[in-house]
Amino acid sequence: ALLAAYQLLSKVQPGFLGPHLAPLKKRIEEVLDKEHYDTNELFSRVRILQIGGRVYSHKHFAMVTTALLSQKQIFISYHGREKDQHTDRTISPQRLVYYRDNWYLDAWCHSRKALRSFSIDRITKTKLVNVIRHDIDENTLNDHYENAYGIFGGTATQQAILRFNSSAARWVSNEHWHSDQNGQFELDGSYLLEIPYNDPRELVRDILKFGADVQVIAPATLRDAVVRHYENALKLYNPEHSSDQ
């Protein structure tokens, strides 16, 4: 377990945490040495795989963590992907989140006067503000970020009902999608999964990964969103729309 933790920390934040992890690695080696284990052999037997991790600035990561731990506000320049817009704002960091191999910052945005999540790799400028942060209590943070689906915050307002065929059911039935999910097997071996959500964007992407192995039963808006994605994808492969024709 110690080896796995060390390997994970090393991969989660390569380079930046190296000097801080060195004493931990040394201590682990000392413990293992007392048990007469070959540390090099054991380290080679722990493998942590990551996919989809994005590159970000160690400098900005360090500034964000400094602001978070010192309970100070921080000024950031942020490049949002969806609208391709740059904004400057002052925020009060609440907590760091490591989600799907990437770092996010939950924070109170003083410009929007609301809680927001920021992808660390999209932060292009940071400056510590010597003002005590606006603190949000843990229960409020949990209600905001854990009630909806995935990285998107807000109160869940919809309930997705998904039916996975018997092939996919063998995997999905053991997967954790949401803390308030409900699932049950049907008589034909398919698996019915119910998930609360607010913003459908991440949920749609997760549904699309299963292709023909899943069907959206409800709500109609979610079903239509998935259908539109498939229709647009089909156009890319339709010979009538090929540039070679």
Side-chain angles (χ1 to χ4, degrees), residues 1-47:
L2 288 172
L3 287 171
Y6 173 80
Q7 292 272 36
L8 182 60
L9 286 171
S10 298
K11 289 182 176 291
V12 162
Q13 188 59 47
F16 179 69
L17 288 178
H20 306 285
L21 291 178
L24 173 61
K25 182 181 179 182
K26 182 179 180 181
R27 178 58 181 153
I28 292 174
E29 291 173 345
E30 291 174 350
V31 171
L32 294 173
D33 185 60
K34 290 182 180 179
E35 299 296 330
H36 306 290
Y37 290 122
D38 184 340
T39 55
N40 291 327
E41 169 70 11
L42 287 175
F43 270 103
S44 69
R45 299 302 173 183
V46 178
R47 188 180 182 213

Side-chain angles (χ1 to χ4, degrees), residues 141-157:
L141 289 174
N142 291 338
D143 288 342
H144 182 80
Y145 287 108
E146 297 178 11
N147 185 269
Y149 183 81
I151 198 65
F152 294 104
T155 301
T157 57

Side-chain angles (χ1 to χ4, degrees), residues 95-106:
R95 59 187 178 189
L96 278 169
V97 179
Y98 191 69
Y99 179 70
R100 299 196 180 192
D101 289 338
N102 287 288
W103 283 107
Y104 295 85
L105 177 67
D106 292 343

